Amino acid sequence: MREYAVPPLVEVDPTSNLTDFVVANATRAPQGVAFRRRAGERWQDVTNVEFLAEVAALAKGLVAAGVRPGDRVALMSKTRYEWTLTDFAIWFAGAVTVPLYETSSPDQVAWILADSGAVAVVVETAEHAGTVTDVRDQLPDLTDVWQIDAGGLADLETAGASTSAEELEARRSGACLDDLATIIYTSGTTGRCKGCELTHGNFVTISSNAVARLADVVQDPEASTLLFLPLAHVFARFIQVLCVAAGTPMGHTPDARNLLADLASYQPTFILAVPRVFERVFNASQQKAEAGGKGRIFDQAATTAIAWSRAQDTGGPALGLRLRHAVFDRLVYGKLRTALGGRAKYAVSGGAPLGERLGHFFRGIGLVVLEGYGLTETTAPSTVNTPERIKIGTVGPPLPGARVRIAEDGEVHIAGTHVFRGYWNNPDATAESFDGDWFVTGDLGDLDDDGFLRITGRKKEIIVTAGGKNVGPAVLEDRLRAHPLVSQCVVVGDQRPYIAALVTLDAEMLPTWLSNNDMAEMDVATASKDPRVHAEIERAVADANSAVSRAEGIRRFEVLDVDFTEESGHLTPSLKLKRSSVVKDHAAEVERLYAT
């Protein structure tokens, strides 16, 4: 086994909890900006003391409504200021937050509310309230439903006027590091989702140490971020806590369709995104350049950016490369930075591998992507690249207080104070997930001599062909998804004579690609059968195959006439593929791939 550990930079008071961050900010810098919230066309500052007052007022309402210490209160909403406000109010009341994705189905809502024993739920819309109503007969513990858009939070604040400050303070200060803060249900890629028990200590220790490690990012005097990923996911939730712990202003935007406009008006200094966002930014920019007759310029600029970034790791760029980079900075890179708000210097990426090409490209244009790795069970990040310690293509070294080891079979194990205490109501699953103090992740990876972790695949996704060849599908799928035409890809071949793939087309990128290739408009279903589209996908497959051996390469592929979506049951709310569902629902297409 290979192991690497980083000692903690910050020792945390065992009697503290998450609410202490809010109180400390209001005491230390009462007029400092905690959040910026949408107010028409502008962003309105919420000071630390104002946020504390709003949280306290809402928490008093929860207490008045009968929410007791340790009770579970669910929260179902898009990413918005009220999400964070309610989350901290639940903690101030001594209760436990249970996030629900705002896209959750009635069955998922019923399961999570029933399994967690939630006594109340805060929903955003009338549609969400209707979903809860439809399954209410399955929820014997549920007593209250408050709707944000119908003034439910204001009603709670009014009702809380009868709750004394002394009672609220007793609730707020009653929790310690060992107490439960939230139950976050996993994505459910392989079956019924499980509730991860995350404590105040899990969040407080990892966020405090991350603030110390990422001080250049989150504690710059001008630092701020705009959060657009769903707060029901542990990745965004960690960033929420990180910003409060660091005293870093944060904004919320729920609609990715307005993301570029919101970035332009908010102008964050760092952003949080998943690799698919970076892929779309690159592909959209490339296709837009081609449509404007500047495709060759963009390609040269991309090549230069990647070369410039790689040179940073090998002594610095030569004079000719520096000159080309300066030219393209004026022609291309500056415009891309402007599209991201103009002030962003860093991006934090997680949830899936980013890939070296994109990592070097974005660093080359002036946006350093700090790729990290973690799971719900590890309160999001266990490892992360930092501005002063970065190796593109890895997910960085352990954060302070975290330990990483690689088992004999290549599986990644994690230990530290940020590792969850177990699965809610599921002791068997908890026992199966630990080897002593080590959480068994199910991911495969390796550690280099400097402690940088590289994720190479998922243990359960390893394909064993009929010839006995072990193939990790991640490399092939990641390379294929990087193509502008490709939305999703699932590699198959378990107990089959060769590797094959199911490919779906990107409906948003298709019109631009068709126009750039002098082809008539067509929908996805028509394009999936077009021989010119097939030829392009074949070129993308050949590029993906160049990253693996011949025996591991894709021999045949099928372009589907539909995409994999959350609505179709093939993606989780966090956009992870439900591989078994895809293979089951497209069994006929898989069989065609192996027909004689």
Side-chain angles (χ1 to χ4, degrees):
M1 288 192 183
R2 188 159 196 180
E3 182 178 332
Y4 200 90
V6 176
L9 292 174
V10 179
E11 295 294 340
V12 176
D13 181 353
T15 66
S16 64
N17 65 52
L18 281 161
T19 68
D20 291 330
F21 291 138
V22 177
V23 175
N25 289 342
T27 303
R28 174 184 53 81
Q31 298 308 312
V33 178
F35 296 93
R36 295 189 176 101
R37 58 186 305 184
R38 258 297 187 197
E41 295 299 315
R42 64 188 184 88
W43 295 91
Q44 179 181 344
D45 289 349
V46 178
T47 66
N48 288 320
V49 72
E50 287 171 339
F51 183 63
L52 172 59
E54 290 186 43
V55 168
L58 185 55
K60 286 181 178 180
L62 293 171
V63 173
V67 173
R68 297 167 302 180
D71 278 351
R72 276 75 64 202
V73 179
L75 179 51
M76 184 180 188
S77 169
K78 291 180 181 178
T79 296
R80 56 190 288 177
Y81 172 75
E82 291 81 2
W83 208 110
T84 299
L85 174 66
T86 303
D87 197 18
F88 277 92
I90 291 169
W91 290 330
F92 263 66
V96 176
T97 308
V98 181
L100 286 159
Y101 285 96
E102 52 95 15
T103 56
S104 296
S105 68
D107 181 63
Q108 290 168 329
V109 170
W111 164 251
I112 292 173
L113 293 182
D115 185 63
S116 66
V119 301
V121 57
V122 175
V123 299
E124 180 181 18
T125 66
E127 182 181 356
H128 297 153
T131 299
V132 175
T133 298
D134 290 343
V135 300
R136 188 129 189 193
D137 60 339
Q138 304 173 45
L139 308 171
D141 298 315
L142 187 65
T143 58
D144 292 293
V145 179
W146 298 290
Q147 184 187 328
I148 297 172
D149 287 349
L153 300 189
D155 293 341
L156 272 172
E157 291 175 8
T158 300
S162 61
T163 303
S164 69
E166 292 76 17
E167 183 175 1
L168 181 64
E169 177 59 21
R171 289 288 195 93
R172 182 199 75 76
S173 59
C176 64
L177 294 184
D178 291 336
D179 287 314
L180 187 63
T182 187
I183 304 172
I184 301 180
Y185 282 76
T186 59
S187 298
T189 54
T190 58
R192 182 72 88 174
C193 54
K194 302 188 291 288
C196 296
E197 300 179 15
L198 298 177
T199 66
H200 285 269
N202 291 145
F203 276 102
V204 171
T205 56
I206 195 66
S207 58
S208 297
N209 280 280
V211 168
R213 176 63 81 206
L214 295 168
D216 290 346
V217 179
V218 299
Q219 290 198 308
D220 183 280
E222 300 298 319
S224 69
T225 193
L226 182 66
L227 197 61
F228 54 87
L229 295 182
L231 274 161
H233 191 272
V234 71
F235 187 21
R237 191 86 168 288
F238 163 75
I239 293 295
Q240 168 192 274
V241 173
L242 178 72
C243 287
V244 176
T248 303
M250 184 175 76
H252 304 75
T253 182
D255 194 344
R257 291 173 296 183
N258 298 326
L259 180 57
L260 291 181
D262 287 339
L263 287 170
S265 62
Y266 189 93
Q267 297 184 320
T269 63
F270 69 95
I271 58 175
L272 171 72
V274 293
R276 190 59 175 155
V277 171
F278 297 108
E279 289 171 359
R280 284 183 175 273
V281 169
F282 180 89
N283 290 338
S285 301
Q286 182 185 54
Q287 293 298 303
K288 183 179 180 181
E290 288 191 12
K294 299 178 181 178
R296 185 177 177 186
I297 293 175
F298 183 88
D299 290 343
Q300 291 175 339
T303 300
T304 298
I306 292 169
W308 187 89
S309 175
R310 290 187 184 279
Q312 306 305 307
D313 302 326
T314 55
L319 177 60
L321 180 55
R322 292 203 304 271
L323 292 174
R324 290 198 305 276
H325 187 269
V327 170
F328 287 126
D329 191 70
R330 293 193 299 272
L331 294 176
V332 179
Y333 310 151
K335 295 176 182 178
L336 289 173
R337 294 194 300 271
T338 298
L340 295 172
R343 297 174 65 232
K345 296 186 291 185
Y346 299 103
V348 182
S349 175
L354 177 67
E356 287 191 40
R357 181 182 65 93
L358 283 178
H360 282 298
F361 171 78
F362 279 101
R363 182 166 70 166
I365 72 167
L367 181 72
V368 180
V369 180
L370 305 174
E371 191 172 4
Y373 165 77
L375 304 96
T376 305
E377 291 87 345
T378 63
T379 325
S382 290
T383 68
V384 68
N385 284 282
T386 60
E388 73 283 357
R389 290 197 74 201
I390 183 170
K391 288 187 182 181
I392 292 175
T394 77
V395 291
L399 276 166
R403 293 180 288 153
V404 178
R405 77 178 184 187
I406 307 299
E408 297 298 332
D409 62 355
E411 186 171 18
V412 179
H413 295 176
I414 305 290
T417 55
H418 64 306
V419 175
F420 80 140
R421 69 185 192 186
Y423 295 109
W424 180 262
N425 289 336
N426 201 335
D428 291 340
T430 301
E432 292 171 2
S433 297
F434 282 90
D435 180 7
D437 292 336
W438 294 90
F439 172 64
V440 178
T441 68
D443 290 315
L444 300 172
D446 57 68
L447 280 168
D448 69 15
D449 292 339
D450 298 316
F452 283 75
L453 177 65
R454 187 183 302 271
I455 300 298
T456 57
R458 185 77 180 153
K459 192 173 180 181
K460 290 182 179 179
E461 293 177 357
I462 293 295
I463 294 169
V464 183
T465 66
K469 182 68 176 177
N470 285 10
V471 178
V475 173
L476 293 164
E477 292 171 351
D478 292 341
R479 289 287 286 258
L480 266 173
R481 279 196 300 266
H483 191 281
L485 260 185
V486 176
S487 174
Q488 296 289 344
C489 171
V490 172
V491 169
V492 296
D494 203 47
Q495 300 304 310
R496 302 282 193 166
Y498 51 81
I499 297 297
L502 300 173
V503 178
T504 70
L505 301 179
D506 190 321
E508 290 185 23
M509 295 300 300
L510 178 61
T512 304
W513 185 88
L514 292 171
S515 175
N516 290 345
N517 287 274
D518 299 320
M519 294 171 62
E521 289 187 15
M522 63 182 79
D523 59 19
V524 167
T526 305
S528 69
K529 299 175 178 60
D530 190 285
R532 293 164 294 181
V533 171
H534 273 250
E536 184 67 18
I537 299 300
E538 191 166 358
R539 284 188 283 272
V541 168
D543 175 70
N545 285 345
S546 67
V548 299
S549 69
R550 177 177 172 81
E552 297 170 292
I554 297 169
R555 301 273 190 93
R556 297 183 68 183
F557 64 88
E558 177 104 1
V559 181
L560 304 181
D561 59 5
V562 294
D563 202 357
F564 305 140
T565 65
E566 187 180 350
E567 291 73 22
S568 71
H570 299 133
L571 293 182
T572 70
S574 57
L575 304 183
K576 293 185 177 70
L577 271 170
K578 295 183 178 180
R579 194 174 298 271
S580 59
S581 296
V582 170
V583 173
K584 177 183 176 182
D585 293 345
H586 293 279
E589 290 89 342
V590 172
E591 289 304 320
R592 281 202 297 269
L593 290 169
Y594 296 98
T596 302

